[in-house]
Amino acid sequence: MLRGFFNGIKDLIYPNLCLTCKNRIVPAKGQNLVCAQCWEKIEKNLPPFCASCGRRLDKLSLAKNICSNCLKFKFHFDRAFSPCTYTGIIKKLIHEFKYSGKDYLGEPLGDLMNKFIKDYRLPIEYIDFIIPIPLHKSRMREREFNQAQILSEQIAKEFNTKILPDALVRTRPTRTQTELAFEERRKNVEKSFTVNDVRSIKDANLLLIDDVLTTGATSSEAARVLKDSGARIIFVMTLAN
Ligand SMILES: [Zn+2]
Ligand SMILES: [Zn+2]
């Protein structure tokens, strides 16, 4: 009872505010970062999906099954999936997760990915290993954790899949990609990964995990070196695209 009293006082002094709308949240178990209304408003990626990048297809692309971007550029991964569209609330949450050290956001965000895997019956049982897209060690020092690793752990726990956290290594830091066009991004990430554990990768089906798929250049380059090392099928999953 005393603890409840002190928590009550703490909440008066430091009220829990929703990360996105800043309204006060009544603390509830496991959900005190974003209010329930904002969580419901997270922008979901809805079918029909592009058979390559996983984005929602517009009407013009429906007959081809593939979006106009993917007709122009062939990715080295086999297929990408994302539960959300990179805008609004999820964009804000991913930013907090990545740059503000809020590693505890990994659990609710990982749940979004797990739910998507179940809802769309992705063939997770055929995946031998989950591989988080690594950060370069200089970035790792700035951020203290790799958000892709945390998301990978959530999926691995849910589906009993193995993670290979060190199989893929980032050999050089790359410029922040946000402002670059596809071709520049492709050049920017070229030869920035190497495979550390060729023996495990050979003939394996892999699920690469990252937070966001923008042009797909980073995931594609990672997939390229993994396929060069003998990987078979490579799926990519990100929180948003
Ligand atoms: Zn809110
Ligand atoms: Zn596409």
Side-chain angles (χ1 to χ4, degrees):
M1 201 183 89
L2 208 54
R3 179 186 291 182
F5 174 73
F6 283 120
N7 279 343
I9 291 191
K10 203 181 116 217
D11 190 44
L12 279 176
I13 307 172
Y14 307 105
N16 252 322
L17 300 183
C18 170
L19 275 179
T20 66
C21 73
K22 307 292 179 207
N23 280 336
R24 190 164 172 170
I25 313 174
V26 182
K29 209 176 117 215
Q31 181 55 284
N32 54 358
L33 312 155
V34 179
C35 72
Q37 290 93 309
C38 286
W39 193 259
E40 280 309 305
K41 278 190 267 173
I42 285 180
E43 299 77 1
K44 301 281 177 350
N45 185 24
L46 295 170
F49 301 125
C50 167
S52 178
C53 71
R55 286 196 174 88
R56 185 176 166 79
L57 285 175
D58 57 29
K59 278 200 193 103
L60 288 173
S61 311
L62 264 182
K64 296 187 200 83
N65 215 20
I66 263 184
C67 75
S68 47
N69 274 334
C70 292
L71 277 177
K72 278 184 267 174
F73 307 108
K74 178 92 184 72
F75 291 124
H76 292 284
F77 52 77
D78 294 276
R79 189 164 178 166
F81 303 92
S82 304
C84 308
T85 306
Y86 192 50
T87 179
I89 293 167
I90 194 73
K91 193 170 177 179
K92 224 167 184 174
L93 286 174
I94 291 173
H95 197 270
E96 291 289 325
F97 181 40
K98 262 171 103 161
Y99 301 111
S100 303
K102 293 188 172 66
D103 57 342
Y104 51 83
L105 271 173
E107 201 177 322
L109 293 177
D111 280 350
L112 291 173
M113 294 168 113
N114 289 339
K115 187 170 183 308
F116 186 90
I117 292 173
K118 288 180 203 160
D119 286 353
Y120 293 99
R121 300 206 171 97
L122 305 193
I124 188 99
E125 63 275 22
Y126 294 108
I127 296 296
D128 297 301
F129 302 111
I130 296 175
I131 297 186
I133 295 280
L135 294 173
H136 185 258
K137 57 180 189 295
S138 58
R139 280 268 147 76
M140 190 70 178
R141 270 198 298 271
E142 284 165 26
R143 293 199 204 150
E144 292 172 6
F145 64 88
N146 178 5
Q147 69 283 353
Q149 169 76 25
I150 294 184
L151 294 171
S152 299
E153 284 162 11
Q154 295 301 319
I155 300 172
K157 201 164 69 182
E158 183 73 26
F159 299 100
N160 228 334
T161 316
K162 250 182 145 168
I163 307 180
L164 291 181
D166 307 311
L168 189 66
V169 179
R170 203 127 180 178
T171 48
R172 60 177 177 82
T174 45
R175 284 198 288 150
T176 309
Q177 304 231 75
T178 341
E179 302 306 323
L180 304 181
F182 181 81
E183 200 40 41
E184 290 175 273
R185 284 189 180 222
R186 207 185 51 74
K187 288 215 183 80
N188 187 29
V189 295
E190 212 171 24
K191 302 199 179 80
S192 62
F193 294 102
T194 177
V195 174
N196 214 0
D197 182 2
V198 177
R199 227 172 34 175
S200 304
I201 297 304
K202 195 174 178 321
D203 294 325
N205 296 327
L206 306 174
L207 176 62
L208 281 178
I209 301 294
D210 208 355
D211 51 357
V212 184
L213 185 105
T214 37
T215 59
T218 305
S219 306
S220 183
E221 177 61 14
R224 187 185 67 77
V225 297
L226 288 163
K227 287 223 164 162
D228 279 353
S229 295
R232 234 186 310 193
I233 305 280
I234 300 185
F235 286 157
V236 173
M237 191 167 198
T238 59
L239 266 172
N241 64 16

